[in-house]
Every structure is written in C-alpha cells, then in structure tokens.
Amino acid sequence: MSTHITIEPLGQAVAARDGQTVLDACLRAGVWLPHACGHGVCGTCKVQVLEGEFEHGDASNFALMDFERDEGRILACCATARTDLVIEAEIDEDPDAQFLPLADYSAELVEARMLTPTIRGLWLRPDRAVPFQAGQYLMLQVPGVDGARAFSVANAPGEDLIELHIRRVPGGRATGWLHDGLQVGQALQFTAPSGRFFVRKSAQLPLIFVAGGSGLSSPKSMIQDLLAEGCRLPITLVQGARNAEELYFREFFESLADQHPNFAYVPVLSDLPDGSNWAGARGYAHEALKAQFAGDFRGHKAYLCGPPPMIEASIKTLMQGRLFERDIYAEKFFTASDAAGSAPRSPLFRSL
C-alpha cells in the first residue's frame, strides 16, 4: 500500500511506500527537506502535519517534545504515514542547491590504502554514475552493523570512482570493519546524495576552507570541483593535524597550489616535538587561519569540516574577524549513539 504526501508551500505531492519515512519519500522524489542526523535526535527535520494520520516512530523526546506532538509536529526522518498527509515545512530555497533524488547504489572496492595511521582511503566503483554536489555525503551500509553510516565524498563530481576517507573510531564496529575486514573486490551498498554542504558559487566571493582529520574529504571535493570549473576567485585551504603523519594529501594540495595561482594551501601542525624541522605553521588551525588573513575575514565565504573543537575555535576566530553566520558553513553529522542523549550544539552558532 502507498500513500501520498503533499508538501506545502511547494504544493508538490510524492508517493510513500508502507513503512517508508516521510523524509526518505521526499528525498527520493527530489524534494529536499531540512535534515541532519537521520536518527530522530537533532530535530532539524521537524515539520507540521496539516492533514492525515501518522506514526511518530523513534523520535526522541528531546528532539520532539510532548507539546509538539500534541500540536501535530513530527520528525520527518522517523515518522511514517498511515493515510495521505499534508505537511508544512520550512523550505530554504538556495540558488546554488541542486535537488538530486536520493538513490541506492552497489559498488566494488577497487583500491584501499592507509592515508594516515588512523585514516583509511577507499575507492569504490559504483554500478552507475552517482550524481552529487561537491561537499555532500553518502550513507554506507556496513555488514553486521545496524543503521547506515555517513561519509563525505572526497572526489569531485563526474569522476568514475567514489573516494572515501574513513577515520577509525576507537571501539567503533563500523569503522573497525571498514579498516580491518573490508578487502579489495568486495561489494558495498550505499545511498546518495545527502547533505546541504556545498559551495555557494553564485556569491562570487573568495573562499576559505578549514579542515581537520578526515574532515578534509569535503573540502578536497569542493576545491577540485572549483578549480576544474576554472574558478578564478581566491581559494585558501587551512589543514590542521597533530603531526606530519596525520597530515595527508599534503603533496597533492601543494601541487594544486603550484598549478593554480589563486589557490593557497596552509598546513599547520599542533603537536610537534622541540627541535622539529617542520618549516610550516605551528599551532592550531584557527591560529593559522587568523595569521593567514591578519584577523580580517570580511568579504569571504568560509567552509569548516573537522572535529567539533576545531569548528568551534574557527567559528569564534572568523566572527572576531568580522565574518558572520550568513557566510560561515559547517558540516554536521550525528551518529546513532547520539540517540541516547542530546546532540551537542555550538553556543556560538545557531545551526552547525
């Protein structure tokens, strides 16, 4: 049995299979609804039901309070339709957004290698082309693990292989298997594309990227895409790592900087022994960022990817340098384990 979901104010209707969540039905029809965690934790996908009957699913009481349930609000990532529904959602129309339908793919692992002591690179050959915007992520099914896991795509759109950077999470079953169990030749399944992290190209403003750890994947995709399109705007990448072993793709970005005069690469290391012969920037990413721009970020767009402390510090530095929320974008992921408690939110920034 299928039902229909009408999304206001668009007035567009989509079909939903029995048991399919409201969010999944909309995304697979190419209708984007605000969302983030996909686990009923963050509340980003909260919408108002105007007509029809539904099931709330596993929405947490933190993300959807009792009085909101009484008023007919649902979390689209958990709720399913029992009858035809009419919902009202806050649709943020962005001229740079591509509304690409969510789809399922199968892929073969054709290459794998360690990029750092804790990050493994995977190159997958999908069964067909995967449309996505640079900066978006996919949801990967890991054998023996409940629930898909989100990983940013590190290659530029249009390439034959899908590139992923997998950081080993201590005690994590999914990343543990992707590091130790997955072998070249094996098949994987994933769903793509997801996320609203992409370059606002129409702004035509100089771009700042700040990355740490496996958060480098999205900026790598975005920068490659920009340069391949012939972007002439100034582009700066600040890549933070603890030591030289954790600083991966350094030679790749140095080569890009040699080829493109508008691209500047700033690697910075935070945990170096005394007497180290490292000639680059020392300290944390936000400190190198401030030094690179002399503390003035006006007239830029900034994109941040990496550990929460790095993102927090970078946001504070950017705001102190007169760059504000409308021009700062950060990648935000939640895990299934977040469902046990409230998701962290920045006190400095309304929506990471």
Side-chain angles (χ1 to χ4, degrees):
M1 184 185 77
S2 65
T3 55
H4 288 85
I5 302 168
T6 302
I7 304 96
E8 299 293 354
L10 298 178
Q12 185 170 345
V14 304
R17 303 185 307 275
D18 187 30
Q20 186 179 22
T21 67
V22 171
L23 179 62
D24 190 66
C26 290
L27 294 179
R28 288 179 184 275
V31 178
W32 184 86
L33 296 182
H35 64 283
C37 73
H39 304 298
V41 176
C42 69
T44 305
C45 65
K46 193 177 300 179
V47 299
Q48 178 72 48
V49 176
L50 303 178
E51 297 178 18
E53 299 180 6
F54 55 85
E55 297 285 348
H56 279 293
D58 294 328
S60 78
N61 291 328
F62 170 81
L64 188 67
M65 298 183 181
D66 288 341
F67 77 90
E68 293 176 307
R69 297 169 191 251
D70 294 340
E71 292 173 352
R73 293 186 177 89
I74 61 172
L75 297 187
C77 71
C78 296
T80 56
R82 294 176 58 189
T83 66
D84 289 349
L85 294 182
V86 178
I87 64 172
E88 185 177 46
E90 294 184 10
I91 307 293
D92 179 21
E93 296 186 8
D94 191 307
D96 295 296
Q98 298 176 20
F99 298 103
L100 302 170
L102 198 67
D104 299 321
Y105 298 87
S106 179
E108 178 189 357
L109 180 67
V110 296
E111 183 182 353
R113 67 176 185 268
M114 295 303 295
L115 303 174
T116 78
T118 59
I119 298 173
R120 190 186 194 203
L122 305 180
W123 283 263
L124 308 173
R125 188 180 303 281
D127 55 1
R128 62 191 189 280
V130 182
F132 69 96
Q133 276 189 275
Q136 290 189 300
Y137 62 91
L138 56 76
M139 299 299 296
L140 185 68
Q141 298 288 341
V142 180
V145 177
D146 292 333
R149 296 297 189 265
F151 296 105
S152 295
V153 181
N155 58 282
E159 296 184 2
D160 292 337
L161 301 182
I162 294 295
E163 177 184 337
L164 305 178
H165 303 166
I166 311 295
R167 182 180 68 86
R168 183 192 291 273
V169 176
R173 291 178 59 201
T175 61
W177 185 83
L178 291 170
H179 270 249
D180 302 329
L182 179 61
Q183 302 297 321
V184 170
Q186 288 184 258
L188 291 171
Q189 282 71 47
F190 64 86
T191 303
S194 291
R196 292 273 283 183
F197 192 65
F198 53 84
V199 175
R200 272 60 181 182
K201 297 178 181 178
S202 64
Q204 287 296 293
L205 292 174
L207 303 111
I208 298 170
F209 295 91
V210 184
S214 60
L216 181 66
S217 51
S218 289
K220 180 176 179 290
S221 175
M222 297 157 100
I223 290 167
Q224 286 180 271
D225 184 50
L226 287 165
L227 295 177
E229 289 182 348
C231 176
R232 300 297 182 186
L233 294 167
I235 303 170
T236 301
L237 169 63
V238 177
Q239 182 188 4
R242 291 181 302 165
N243 51 55
E245 281 190 312
E246 295 287 346
L247 187 73
Y248 69 107
F249 276 108
R250 175 186 171 189
E251 293 81 5
F252 173 80
F253 288 113
E254 288 176 340
S255 176
L256 285 184
D258 289 339
Q259 298 170 42
H260 301 276
N262 61 317
F263 174 59
Y265 174 54
V266 184
V268 52
L269 303 182
S270 62
D271 186 15
L272 288 172
D274 293 338
S276 170
N277 62 359
W278 170 253
R282 296 170 180 252
Y284 294 100
H286 69 281
E287 296 170 334
L289 174 65
K290 183 176 181 178
Q292 180 73 11
F293 289 88
D296 188 347
F297 306 102
R298 288 174 292 183
H300 289 77
K301 291 279 188 182
Y303 302 86
L304 316 176
C305 302
M310 186 210 77
I311 290 178
E312 294 280 350
S314 297
I315 290 171
K316 184 175 181 180
T317 298
L318 290 166
M319 287 186 167
Q320 288 173 341
R322 305 295 300 278
L323 193 71
F324 301 111
E325 182 175 350
R326 68 179 181 273
D327 292 317
I328 303 173
Y329 305 89
E331 205 168 24
K332 174 177 66 174
F333 289 141
F334 294 91
T335 68
S337 63
D338 291 324
S342 63
R345 292 184 180 271
S346 169
L348 299 169
F349 206 57
R350 177 169 53 84
S351 58
L352 288 180

